[in-house]
Amino acid sequence: MKLITPPEGSRHQSAALISMLDVHHTVRFEPADRQWYACEASSQDQAILTLFCQSLTVAQCEAVIDGLNDYLCVGGLSAHPLSGRYGETVLRAPVLYKQRQGLAARCSQLSTALGVELGVQDTQPALAQPGVLVMDMDSTVIQIECIDEIAKLAGLGEQVSQVTEKAMRGELDFAQSLISRVACLQGVEQAQLAQIRDQIPLMPGISVLIGELKRHGWRIALASGGFTFFANYLQSRLGLDRAYANELEVVDGTLTGKVAGDIVDADTKAAVVSAMAEEYQVARGQTVALGDGANDLVMMRQAGLGVACHGKPVVNEKADVAIRFSGLHGLLYFLR
């Protein structure tokens, strides 16, 4: 084990320090005036802290430890096996809880203030073991809300996007808000949807995430409150196992303003997590749900790990961990 004690006021890049070690070594930040990794606690209070960003500094590491001092007793920070592979320095540490109340809010505050990704988990799914990932589509796998883009074709983009935003924050019933928004799409030619599909901007890191998981035998699905026209296309483009979404009713090549069949809502998304875990004989602890809106919270609770992706405040607060700044490949760092 290599012990590193940065001098007072040090602002060296920890990435440079990590480069001197292989992933089996431990980097300890041990200010002389604080024994922050000494703590008495029972085994059920043990957890894992994960910290990452590009160009992670010693100052940021120390600020995280200082900021969590009232909640956690932290052990040595070690490099995650994927640290550096995709551009971020990724550190993790065994931690012992002093208390949990307010911990999620404190992690959120530190993450935002320091510009780092930060999460504390009781358990972590294993990357090397087969698992299931169920992802939201709009504003998660892709950078747009497809319904808002269709509404622009009908000249109602701003009106619909305001309703979408409220629904994603959990301020409106999702199913009812979807019905009212789809009604605004009446008269749009189905052929026009191809303009949106052919220019869909993927969320950064999605290809890395999918590629890494598939190499380890994971099954991956979309479960979206959006539409099959786009979800089926993404299933094919990204090589996903399943895609579930709402179907827009079309008559004579024109949208009628109605949804055909049952609505894919929060409960449907949660059912997808359970069904895929059963189909592929995957334990709950190896299931992950990823999303940004309030309608994703039910599937996050159903999964072993719920991950917010550039989420609305309520989602960041209630998810197990949150990705606020990095690409979707950041989810990999919350796996062991």
Side-chain angles (χ1 to χ4, degrees):
M1 181 182 298
K2 184 176 180 66
L3 180 66
I4 297 177
T5 306
E8 186 69 23
S10 171
R11 293 298 181 267
H12 296 303
Q13 298 288 328
S14 65
L17 302 177
I18 293 294
S19 69
M20 297 187 298
L21 309 170
D22 64 37
V23 296
H24 302 293
H25 287 155
T26 297
V27 179
R28 288 189 182 274
F29 298 96
E30 186 182 5
D33 62 346
R34 180 165 28 81
Q35 297 297 320
W36 47 263
Y37 53 85
C39 184
E40 297 291 335
S42 59
S43 59
Q44 65 261 29
D45 291 326
Q46 295 181 356
I48 301 119
L49 177 148
T50 303
L51 168 66
F52 62 93
C53 78
Q54 293 189 1
S55 302
L56 185 67
T57 66
V58 169
Q60 287 171 314
C61 294
E62 291 180 338
V64 167
I65 300 306
D66 284 335
L68 295 179
N69 192 51
D70 292 337
Y71 297 95
L72 303 172
C73 302
V74 186
L77 292 164
S78 61
H80 189 283
L82 295 177
S83 183
R85 182 177 299 182
Y86 300 116
E88 292 88 7
T89 300
V90 190
L91 302 179
R92 58 186 178 179
V95 298
L96 299 175
Y97 289 105
K98 294 179 183 178
Q99 59 174 318
R100 301 192 184 208
Q101 186 175 3
L103 175 59
R106 188 59 183 143
C107 285
S108 177
Q109 293 168 0
L110 286 168
S111 176
T112 301
L114 298 171
V116 300
E117 306 288 9
L118 175 65
V120 179
Q121 302 164 255
D122 292 319
T123 60
Q124 291 182 315
L127 173 61
Q129 298 176 14
V132 165
L133 170 63
V134 179
M135 306 180 292
D136 177 46
M137 180 176 70
D138 296 84
S139 296
T140 300
V141 171
I142 59 178
Q143 298 183 54
I144 60 172
E145 292 283 340
C146 290
I147 193 167
D148 296 353
E149 299 303 311
I150 301 172
K152 291 177 183 177
L153 300 176
L156 296 171
E158 184 175 352
Q159 175 183 328
V160 170
S161 67
Q162 290 175 354
V163 178
T164 300
E165 182 69 17
K166 289 181 179 180
M168 293 302 99
R169 293 197 302 259
E171 298 172 6
L172 300 173
D173 176 79
F174 177 79
Q176 291 302 315
S177 74
L178 180 67
I179 290 170
S180 67
R181 285 177 289 157
V182 170
C184 297
L185 310 182
Q186 182 179 5
V188 173
E189 296 294 323
Q190 184 183 31
Q192 291 182 278
L193 304 186
Q195 300 173 25
I196 300 169
R197 180 198 62 198
D198 295 343
Q199 300 180 54
I200 282 182
L202 297 177
M203 194 67 75
I206 183 60
S207 296
V208 168
L209 172 63
I210 291 172
E212 193 74 56
L213 291 178
K214 289 179 71 173
R215 276 193 291 274
H216 291 88
W218 283 59
R219 300 290 184 164
I220 309 171
L222 285 179
S224 172
F227 307 118
T228 55
F229 186 90
F230 306 103
N232 293 343
Y233 162 76
L234 288 167
Q235 178 186 2
S236 176
R237 177 176 174 179
L238 297 174
L240 307 180
D241 296 283
R242 299 282 190 278
Y244 304 88
N246 298 298
E247 185 174 356
L248 291 168
E249 185 179 78
V250 179
V251 174
D252 295 330
T254 302
L255 303 189
T256 66
K258 297 179 181 179
V259 176
D262 296 332
I263 289 176
V264 176
D265 59 9
D267 291 333
T268 307
K269 291 185 173 192
V272 170
V273 175
S274 298
M276 289 195 64
E278 181 177 356
E279 178 181 357
Y280 296 111
Q281 299 183 330
V282 169
R284 181 177 180 274
Q286 282 291 115
T287 61
V288 181
L290 175 71
D292 74 301
N295 63 321
D296 298 316
L297 289 172
V298 180
M299 75 169 178
M300 289 184 187
R301 289 192 293 269
Q302 184 65 33
L305 175 64
V307 183
C309 167
H310 305 282
K312 303 301 182 287
V314 66
V315 185
N316 286 339
E317 176 187 346
K318 295 185 177 181
D320 295 315
V321 292
I323 297 170
R324 295 177 172 83
F325 308 107
S326 80
L328 293 190
H329 64 284
L331 186 156
L332 297 168
Y333 306 143
F334 293 116
L335 308 179
R336 60 181 169 84

